[in-house]
Amino acid sequence: AGSLNVPANNTEVEEYALKIDWNISDTHRAAIRYNKLEQNVVRFPQISNSAVSLSSFWYQQPKTYESWMGELFSDWSENFSTEFKLSHKEYTAIREPNSTLPQIQVRGFGGTANNSLYFGTEQNSHVNAVESKELSAFGAATWYMGDHTVKFGFDYSDNDLLNYYGRNLNGVYVFNNLND
């Protein structure tokens, strides 16, 4: 069922960023950006004045966000310029419960009807995963023709998304008192 021994409750965050701007020439420039964030938080649900949960009920909430982008800007003449961008983003958040037990709530714990003890796997954490991957591409050209401006290009985006939410998959049990 677990214990009340609290693990180190440190939110761990690591973040990395890199940006490079390059003036290739007077008419061409490029930029590259990279970003990564990793975070892990320990969650203690159902801890309040009227409830306590054991360590099997707690879970970790790691998250990762990573992205990169490349851009190229070019002035081919006074009348014609182009820009291109390519980017990739990836996000992951998968709860890591401390057990595979069902959620178990015992009401009336400690002699008071409103008090509850929780252990097992928190019902929203039986399976809870979010993953997203996005690839984007953009290109545009601008052509100045006297009093007219002609702009044309493309914009592409592909996003794969997984949102797997398996609430109560392991089961949920509620006991009104220790004698039920």
Side-chain angles (χ1 to χ4, degrees):
S3 70
L4 290 172
N5 294 331
V6 177
N9 185 17
N10 298 331
T11 298
E12 299 173 16
V13 178
E14 290 186 27
E15 187 169 8
Y16 310 96
L18 173 69
K19 182 177 181 188
I20 299 173
D21 288 322
W22 180 25
N23 292 322
I24 302 167
S25 68
D26 289 341
T27 56
H28 302 284
R29 64 185 172 88
I32 297 171
R33 288 182 287 183
Y34 174 78
N35 194 44
K36 185 171 186 177
L37 173 72
E38 294 178 318
Q39 175 181 338
N40 193 8
V41 179
V42 179
R43 301 288 185 186
F44 304 98
Q46 297 298 346
I47 294 182
S48 67
N49 290 339
S50 61
V52 66
S53 60
L54 300 180
S55 61
S56 63
F57 201 72
W58 308 335
Y59 62 89
Q60 304 247 348
Q61 181 69 56
K63 297 176 184 177
T64 303
Y65 176 76
E66 186 172 20
S67 68
W68 56 261
M69 178 188 292
E71 300 174 291
L72 178 62
F73 302 92
S74 299
D75 294 324
W76 299 99
S77 70
E78 289 182 7
N79 299 328
F80 187 70
S81 63
T82 59
E83 69 178 282
F84 296 97
K85 297 178 186 177
L86 183 64
S87 67
H88 175 77
K89 299 175 188 173
E90 194 167 326
Y91 174 78
T92 303
I94 300 173
R95 286 190 187 182
E96 297 176 355
N98 286 339
S99 76
T100 57
L101 296 169
Q103 174 176 302
I104 300 169
Q105 176 186 6
V106 180
R107 293 180 180 158
F109 194 77
T112 305
N114 293 333
N115 288 350
S116 292
L117 172 70
Y118 291 87
F119 58 94
T121 305
E122 190 267 337
Q123 67 184 12
N124 296 305
S125 300
H126 292 185
V127 176
N128 194 331
V130 175
E131 293 180 350
S132 174
K133 293 180 184 179
E134 180 181 0
L135 178 65
S136 298
F138 170 82
T142 305
W143 185 15
Y144 300 99
M145 300 175 9
D147 292 339
H148 303 285
T149 301
V150 178
K151 189 167 187 173
F152 52 93
F154 66 90
D155 196 356
Y156 170 82
S157 182
D158 180 38
N159 192 358
D160 293 324
L161 180 63
L162 168 72
N163 188 355
Y164 185 24
Y165 181 57
R167 183 175 190 217
N168 300 335
L169 286 179
N170 298 348
V172 174
Y173 298 93
V174 178
F175 299 95
N176 285 326
N177 60 55
L178 291 174
N179 297 322
D180 276 357

